[in-house]
Amino acid sequence: MLQHKIHIPLVLLLIFLGSTCFAQNINGEKIIVGKESITVINFPDKVVNINFSDDAAYEYYIPKRREEKSISIQFNKEKKTGPNTNLLVNEGGRSHMFRLIFDSTYNINDDSRPPLWYDHSNLKALKAFVQKQKELEKLSEDQRAAAQKQQEAEAAEQRKQEVAEARKKAEEDAALKAKELEKARSQQEEQQKQSAAEIAKAKKEADEKEKQLKAIAKKEADAKKIADAKAKKDADQLAKQKAEEEKRLADLKEKQNTEALAREEELKKLRAKNDADAIAKAQKEKEQNEQKAAAALAKAEQEAREKHRLQEENLAKQRAVEEEKARKAAEETARKEAEKKAAAERLAKLEQDRKQREQEKAYSEAGLWQRYGKKGVDLYNFPREQVPTVVAEFYLITDTLRNYRISDSLMHTDIADKVNIKASEPINKGVNITLENIYFNQIYTYYKLKVDNTTAEDFLMGPTYIYWYDADEKAKQVIKSSYITYIGFFPLVRPHTTQYVIFVTRSPNMTDDESLVLFVDERRKDKGTTSIVIPGSTYNKELARYQNTIKGTKVKETKNSAGKKKKK
């Protein structure tokens, strides 16, 4: 990125110094620039111009705008040391004059001194700051220096005390958490016993309903068998009786026919003798016998029909009785089947709930404590090995909340042009970690990690830290972390799932030929570790996306700012 320089005329400096009567113009605030850190200053409004009072300063310091209301200053690491100079910044109709101080002793990890972040974004706070500056200006130079030194010492002591209190509280919370988890585990075991007893009772009830249903089914089958046999017997008897009646009627008809033929023969004989009296008498007897025979036949047929009707009625009544029995038996069977189904469904529901609880139990606080905590893997507090690799922001609530909000937003935002640097090797033969994006906000660098667990085991993310390597690939120092997603509960990535993690550090001032190496361990030593190499050129390319030269500012180009490796 091209930068140019411009010399501020003496009259411009005098005009600025004469404008300090404005309530919101900063005059002379000391701004520290370190060799290995990036300095950031925030303002209430859009920054329109940055200038140094000395041309030579452009050889040592690289000013950039971050977003609209923020600037960053990087030391040109081609130089060994840098001069102190004045920095003029114009924003929102205000003109601020800062005293830029190069401090070769400033350590990016130093907790005794605050990060190089000067936040003047709040107008009310800015006005109060300027007023305090004016009060200090009334003092002698020695008194002012002593007052400023005392303020810095008090601020450092307060910061140190807040961190100590936060650490102490974290330890107390950890001890309390252990007791709570043990209590939760006992309650969980009691619930399991109750659940097991309830399931056993439900299973017994379901088995009993099954037995009852089988008994009813057998009873119905036996009753049907008897009813079918009786129905067959009754039908056979009815058929037999019908056949006998029909035979009796046939025999009666045959007898009547025989008698009628005999009378007819007798009548023929009498006609042959031509005996009128005998014929008349025989004719009359014939008629009388025919009438009696017809009456007898009619009566026999009527009796047969009546008998058959009574037998049919009897059978119909018996069938009705059997059908009523069958209906009641079917209703009883249906009721027992419904009871059996309800009991089976209740048992299935209890079993499903039990399985669900078992699955959830594994990832409940008590379950995790049982599986890991009791074996020395305390997931509810970050690993003890992480403690030496964190700075004060890790404990301070305001810093933690701010980093949490930014990290949460970054986790749910898909940034284009990902860097996608994969780890050197998978952890536990199947946990692949990729650095997806590098994001910058204020003095912090946010590393978005994608953790893809393809194994059948949990991945317990352990100590995570970054080492800074120089151009000769020698480790210079660790860059201590300011935040990591789930500070207390380090990420647990379940089998066959993917999860994002944000790791945050203060922003290092890197050259293109330097590098960062991000190490990620598994909490269980035997599961392994991995690392991701971030070239300085990649880091600076990503940084350039978030800061640029301010329009109208003329700053001299340097090899470092142009993204080229320095020559040795």
Side-chain angles (χ1 to χ4, degrees):
M1 189 176 294
L2 296 178
Q3 300 178 341
H4 307 281
K5 71 177 182 179
I6 185 170
H7 178 68
I8 303 177
L10 180 60
V11 63
L12 179 60
L13 181 58
L14 292 174
I15 291 172
F16 169 79
L17 294 175
S19 68
T20 56
C21 59
F22 293 103
Q24 295 170 346
N25 289 348
I26 299 172
N27 179 27
E29 180 186 8
K30 184 170 66 174
I31 301 294
I32 302 297
V33 176
K35 184 178 182 181
E36 308 292 5
S37 303
I38 296 177
T39 299
V40 173
I41 311 174
N42 289 358
F43 299 96
D45 212 332
K46 181 178 179 180
V47 176
V48 295
N49 197 24
I50 304 174
N51 282 295
F52 291 123
S53 61
D54 181 4
D55 276 349
Y58 294 103
E59 298 288 338
Y60 297 90
Y61 304 110
I62 307 165
K64 294 288 181 73
R65 181 169 68 190
R66 285 197 173 190
E67 301 173 344
E68 287 193 336
K69 303 177 182 180
S70 179
I71 67 169
S72 68
I73 301 169
Q74 292 172 255
F75 180 71
N76 181 2
K77 292 173 71 174
E78 291 180 352
K79 305 294 184 180
K80 298 297 183 183
T81 186
N84 298 337
T85 187
N86 291 325
L87 172 69
L88 175 64
V89 179
N90 299 112
E91 56 85 22
R94 287 171 289 274
S95 294
H96 307 290
M97 180 66 78
F98 299 99
R99 183 62 178 163
L100 212 60
I101 306 295
F102 176 72
D103 187 345
S104 61
T105 66
Y106 185 84
N107 185 342
I108 192 171
N109 294 324
D110 189 356
D111 261 345
S112 66
R113 302 170 69 179
L116 303 182
W117 181 19
Y118 303 85
D119 188 4
H120 295 300
S121 58
N122 184 285
L123 274 172
K124 185 176 180 181
L126 175 59
K127 186 175 181 180
F129 178 83
V130 171
Q131 182 60 37
K132 197 169 186 179
Q133 268 196 321
K134 289 180 180 180
E135 292 172 1
L136 287 173
E137 287 174 3
K138 295 176 183 177
L139 303 175
S140 67
E141 188 174 340
D142 290 343
Q143 288 174 328
R144 185 162 56 249
Q148 287 177 340
K149 189 174 181 180
Q150 183 179 352
Q151 286 178 1
E152 291 172 1
E154 288 175 353
E157 182 59 32
Q158 182 180 355
R159 184 179 175 85
K160 183 179 178 181
Q161 186 176 347
E162 285 181 16
V163 171
E165 289 174 355
R167 283 179 175 168
K168 183 180 178 182
K169 187 175 186 309
E171 291 173 358
E172 291 172 350
D173 289 346
L176 181 63
K177 190 71 174 178
K179 291 181 180 179
E180 290 175 350
L181 290 172
E182 187 60 29
K183 183 179 178 182
R185 186 192 62 77
S186 299
Q187 291 175 344
Q188 202 172 63
E189 285 182 355
E190 184 61 31
Q191 288 173 355
Q192 282 180 324
K193 289 178 183 178
Q194 292 176 359
S195 175
E198 194 174 359
I199 288 172
K201 182 181 176 182
K203 189 175 186 307
K204 185 178 178 181
E205 182 181 350
D207 290 343
E208 185 62 31
K209 296 298 180 186
E210 179 72 21
K211 287 179 183 178
Q212 290 176 4
L213 189 60
K214 286 181 179 179
I216 288 173
K218 185 177 183 306
K219 184 179 177 182
E220 283 184 13
D222 292 344
K224 188 175 184 303
K225 188 176 179 182
I226 293 170
D228 290 346
K230 188 174 184 305
K232 186 177 182 304
K233 182 180 178 183
D234 290 344
D236 291 346
Q237 187 176 355
L238 183 62
K240 182 180 178 183
Q241 288 175 349
K242 186 177 179 182
E244 288 175 353
E245 288 297 326
E246 288 176 350
K247 185 176 183 304
R248 188 171 68 82
L249 288 173
D251 290 345
L252 180 59
K253 286 180 181 179
E254 186 179 355
K255 180 182 176 184
Q256 287 178 344
N257 289 336
T258 301
E259 289 176 350
L261 286 173
R263 285 192 293 273
E264 188 62 38
E265 285 296 324
E266 183 66 26
L267 188 58
K268 284 180 180 179
K269 289 178 182 180
L270 290 174
R271 285 175 183 158
K273 292 179 181 181
N274 201 17
D275 186 349
D277 291 338
I279 291 172
K281 184 179 178 183
Q283 184 68 37
K284 186 178 180 181
E285 288 178 355
K286 178 188 176 187
E287 290 174 359
Q288 288 175 346
N289 287 331
E290 286 178 351
Q291 288 176 356
K292 287 179 181 180
L297 182 61
K299 182 180 179 183
E301 288 178 344
Q302 177 63 29
E303 287 175 353
R305 283 196 297 271
E306 183 62 19
K307 191 174 182 180
H308 188 68
R309 184 185 67 77
L310 291 173
Q311 288 173 337
E312 286 286 355
E313 283 183 0
N314 238 357
L315 286 176
K317 286 178 182 179
Q318 287 179 11
R319 280 196 297 270
V321 169
E322 293 301 328
E323 287 174 359
E324 180 64 16
K325 286 182 181 178
R327 185 186 65 78
K328 288 182 178 179
E331 287 180 352
E332 179 68 7
T333 301
R335 185 172 67 82
K336 290 298 181 183
E337 283 180 345
E339 289 177 356
K340 175 196 168 186
K341 183 181 178 183
E345 287 177 350
R346 182 168 177 270
L347 177 61
K349 179 71 168 56
L350 289 172
E351 286 286 359
Q352 184 182 1
D353 291 346
R354 181 189 63 78
K355 288 179 181 178
Q356 185 68 27
R357 280 195 301 272
E358 283 298 315
Q359 291 176 353
E360 291 173 356
K361 172 193 169 187
Y363 293 97
S364 67
E365 289 187 342
L368 290 172
W369 176 256
Q370 189 71 13
R371 287 197 294 146
Y372 299 118
K374 285 203 161 185
K375 298 174 184 177
V377 184
D378 181 8
L379 299 181
Y380 289 91
N381 295 281
F382 59 88
R384 305 314 299 169
E385 300 91 332
Q386 188 77 32
V387 176
T389 67
V390 299
V391 286
E393 295 96 286
F394 213 91
Y395 298 98
L396 298 176
I397 293 175
T398 53
D399 293 332
T400 298
L401 288 176
R402 179 179 56 253
N403 282 325
Y404 163 75
R405 285 192 294 268
I406 296 170
S407 297
D408 187 62
S409 174
L410 183 58
M411 284 178 70
H412 297 92
T413 302
D414 188 21
I415 300 177
D417 301 323
K418 296 179 175 65
V419 296
N420 277 344
I421 304 176
K422 295 186 181 299
S424 56
E425 59 184 355
I427 296 176
N428 196 22
K429 300 180 181 179
V431 180
N432 302 299
I433 301 179
T434 304
L435 173 63
E436 269 204 0
N437 290 106
I438 304 174
Y439 175 76
F440 298 86
N441 190 290
Q442 309 304 347
I443 56 162
Y444 297 109
T445 304
Y446 297 78
Y447 306 86
K448 184 177 181 179
L449 304 175
K450 179 182 179 181
V451 182
D452 186 20
N453 184 3
T454 65
T455 73
E457 295 183 69
D458 294 329
F459 168 64
L460 311 181
M461 187 168 180
T464 304
Y465 46 95
I466 284 183
Y467 262 98
W468 190 350
Y469 287 77
D470 63 18
D472 297 324
E473 297 185 355
K474 292 182 180 179
K476 295 170 56 174
Q477 63 177 325
V478 67
I479 305 296
K480 292 188 176 183
S481 61
S482 302
Y483 177 84
I484 186 169
T485 311
Y486 318 117
I487 279 184
F489 188 110
F490 259 35
L492 180 153
V493 184
R494 297 188 185 191
H496 308 295
T497 59
T498 299
Q499 190 168 317
Y500 284 95
V501 176
I502 308 298
F503 185 74
V504 186
T505 68
R506 296 174 184 172
S507 297
N509 182 26
M510 293 181 66
T511 59
D512 285 357
D513 49 8
E514 294 178 323
S515 62
L516 298 174
V517 181
L518 190 151
F519 294 91
V520 181
D521 297 344
E522 227 275 6
R523 286 213 179 200
R524 297 161 293 185
K525 302 286 186 186
D526 60 313
K527 301 299 180 182
T529 184
T530 193
S531 60
I532 297 174
V533 178
I534 309 168
S537 56
T538 300
Y539 180 91
N540 287 326
K541 179 182 176 182
E542 293 302 305
L543 177 59
R545 294 171 65 182
Y546 296 92
Q547 61 184 19
N548 51 55
T549 303
I550 301 174
K551 186 178 180 181
T553 305
K554 296 181 179 179
V555 184
K556 182 178 179 180
E557 176 185 353
T558 67
K559 295 177 184 177
N560 190 38
S561 66
K564 298 178 181 177
K565 289 188 177 181
K566 61 186 181 182
K567 296 179 181 178
K568 291 191 178 288

